[in-house]
Amino acid sequence: MALKHNISDPHPKKRKRVGFASTDDTGIDPNDCINIFAVKTADQVGSTNCLQIEPIDLNHFFGQDGKIYGYNGLQIDVWLSMLSFHAYVDVSFQSKCEGGKGVTDLEVPFKSIFGESLLDKEKFVQTFSKDHDYVRNIIADGEVVPLESSMKYSNSNSDNKDPSIEVTRLGMQNANAGLLYSRLVSLVLLLVDGANPIDVTDPRWEIYVAVKRSPENGLSNGKVEMLGFATVYHFFYYPDASRMRIGQILVLPPFQSQGYGRLLLEAINSVAISKNAHDITVEEPSEYLQYLRACMDAVRLLSYEPINPAISSVISFLKENNLSKCTAKPSTGPPASLVDQVRQNLKINRKQFLRCWEVLIYMNLVHENQRCMENFRLLISDRVKGEILNTEDGVKDTGKKIVEVPNDYDSDMSYVMFRSERGEVGDLGMGKNGGDEAKQEEQLKQLVEEELEEISNVVKKVSSLIS
C-alpha cells in the first residue's frame, strides 16, 4: 500500500464520453462513463465544475471482465463529500438492452465501494449541514501528536510553522476510529493501488489523521478539515517491543502536492521514537512513497552525527581506489553497529537505511572526479547484481539464479529461478554455454542507470529541503 501522488489535475478536465453499448453489446468500460467529484458544499452537488477525482482503476469492481453491460448512453456521476465522506451516485442512460450477458446490476459495485456511506440525493445534501462537524467530533478523543516546529508547514515549499495544522492519532479500540475508517475506505479502494481494507476490530491498528483548523464565526476552534490519513499496525517484537508497519497513507485529492503526506510520515516517526518502537516498515509501498520516505530519512540522517565518520571513510576509499581493479569486493556499506544505532534512535529499518546510505554517499561525492563517479556506479552495479542473485551484503549466496525464458504468451513471464540441490547455480543456457551475455549486460546497465537516476532525484530534493 502506498501514497498516490498527483491524482488530480488542478485544471478543469473534459467530461468523459457517454458510454454506448453496440448492438451485440460488447460492454462499456467503467472508466469511460463514470465521473467522480470531490465536493465540500451542498451547492456543488449535481455540478461537474468541481474537483474531479481520477481513480486508479474501476474495472475490478465490475465482474470478471470489468465491463458494464445492458445500457445505451450510460452516464454515471458520483459526488463524494470531503466533509462527511458520504457518497451520492447519479445514473442516467438512454435505454436498456438485453444482450447475451444481460444487464449489469449497478447497485452491487457501488455498494462494494461505498457501503453504508452511499446515500440518495436528498439525504446526501442534508449531510453538509447535519455532519458539518463530523471530523472535529471524531478526532475529539484522539491524541494530538507533538511535532517539531520544522515539521509544521502549510505547503511543500515552506517549512514555516503553521499551528492550525495537526495530526491526531486514534487507536481502533476507540469506536470513533472504526467509524471514520469505514467512511474513508471508499477513498482507499478508489485511489490506492491494490488496497485492501484494514480490520477495524483489531486493536493493533491505529489511524493518523492530518487536519487543518480554521476560525469560523469568530470561534478559534471552528472548522476542522481533513487533509489526509494513514493507517499503522503494531506487530509484537520479542521480548517487549513492537514494530510499526504503515498499511495505507493517502492525502485527500484537494490537498495533494502540498506536503501533507510528509507530515503524516513525520508524525508516525515521532510516535515510533516516543514509544520506543523497534522500527518502522511499509507494506507494499508505491514508487512515490519510497521516494518520499527516502527524502525524509536522508534529511534526518544528515543531522545524525554518528553517521558522518562512516560516510567520510567510504568517500575517501572511492577517491583513492579503483573498484574495477579490486580482486575482492570491498566493504562500502555502513558498519553493523551504525545500522543498529540508526534503528534504535531514528527507527529506520536496515533496508531503508541502506537505501539512504547510497543517497548520502552520492551527496558527498566530488562529482567532477571521474574515478569517484565510476566507483560509485560500480558500487550500485554490484548491489543490483546482488539483489538479482540474492547475494546482498551479509547474505550468503543461496545458489538461486534468475534466467530469462523468452515466450510469445506473456512478456512479463519470461524468466525462471533455478537452484540445484547442493546450492550450485546451474548454467541453463547462460554464460559461456550459449547465453546472451551482451543482452544480460545491457539489461544490467539499464537497471543501474535507473537506480542512479532515482538516487539523483532524491539528492536533488534533499538538497532543496536543507538549503
Side-chain angles (χ1 to χ4, degrees), residues 62-63 67-71 96 101-107 109:
F62 291 85
K67 289 188 176 183
I68 301 173
Y69 294 94
Y71 297 90
K96 289 185 178 181
K101 295 191 176 182
V103 179
T104 299
D105 183 353
L106 296 175
E107 184 178 356

Side-chain angles (χ1 to χ4, degrees), residues 152-358:
K152 294 185 175 183
Y153 45 88
S154 56
N155 60 66
S156 57
N157 299 315
S158 172
D159 282 341
N160 294 328
K161 182 168 60 176
D162 186 348
S164 68
I165 297 172
E166 63 186 34
V167 176
T168 299
R169 176 183 174 222
L170 293 164
M172 284 301 161
Q173 63 272 18
N174 184 325
N176 281 342
L179 292 174
L180 174 62
Y181 185 80
S182 68
R183 295 193 188 182
L184 294 175
V185 71
S186 59
L187 284 165
V188 174
L189 295 174
L190 290 170
L191 302 179
V192 180
D193 192 17
N196 289 304
I198 68 171
D199 181 3
V200 296
T201 65
D202 189 337
R204 289 173 291 183
W205 279 105
E206 58 187 13
I207 183 169
Y208 291 69
V209 184
V211 301
K212 182 171 184 177
R213 296 183 181 273
S214 305
E216 189 174 56
N217 298 326
L219 300 175
S220 59
N221 192 28
K223 181 181 177 183
V224 176
E225 194 168 25
M226 183 184 293
L227 307 172
F229 64 94
T231 58
V232 176
Y233 193 78
H234 289 260
F235 288 91
F236 172 73
Y237 188 84
Y238 181 84
D240 56 1
S242 67
R243 306 187 79 169
M244 295 173 63
R245 176 176 292 179
I246 301 173
Q248 299 156 353
I249 181 167
L250 178 67
V251 176
L252 303 189
F255 307 107
Q256 291 180 358
S257 301
Q258 298 178 47
Y260 299 125
R262 177 183 164 197
L263 183 70
L264 284 164
L265 287 174
E266 293 190 12
I268 295 169
N269 288 338
S270 176
V271 170
I273 292 171
S274 67
K275 302 296 183 183
N276 197 26
H278 182 73
D279 60 15
I280 301 172
T281 60
V282 181
E283 183 179 352
E284 299 182 11
S286 66
E287 289 184 8
Y288 178 67
L289 182 54
Q290 287 280 42
Y291 163 78
L292 183 61
R293 288 182 69 221
C295 293
M296 288 178 52
D297 288 336
V299 170
R300 297 169 67 205
L301 288 164
L302 281 171
S303 60
Y304 187 63
E305 189 62 31
I307 205 171
N308 294 331
I311 289 291
S312 297
S313 176
V314 174
I315 296 300
S316 297
F317 179 84
L318 296 179
K319 286 180 180 179
E320 299 166 3
N321 294 275
N322 187 338
L323 294 190
S324 64
K325 295 182 179 180
C326 290
T327 56
K329 183 179 177 182
S331 176
T332 55
S337 59
L338 182 59
V339 173
D340 195 50
Q341 287 181 58
V342 167
R343 182 198 57 74
Q344 288 181 9
N345 295 297
L346 301 181
K347 306 308 175 185
I348 299 174
N349 66 67
R350 180 178 184 274
K351 185 176 181 180
Q352 177 69 0
F353 181 33
L354 294 179
R355 184 180 293 112
C356 295
W357 178 257
E358 294 174 347

Side-chain angles (χ1 to χ4, degrees), residues 17 54 75 109 148 171 173 193 209 235 281 283 300 318 352 359 366 388 401 424 436 439:
R17 294 178 299 172
E54 292 295 327
Q75 179 67 49
E148 297 296 330
Q173 63 272 18
D193 192 17
V209 184
F235 288 91
T281 60
E283 183 179 352
R300 297 169 67 205
L318 296 179
Q352 177 69 0
V359 171
V366 180
I388 293 174
K401 195 162 188 175
E424 298 172 350
D436 190 346
K439 182 178 179 181

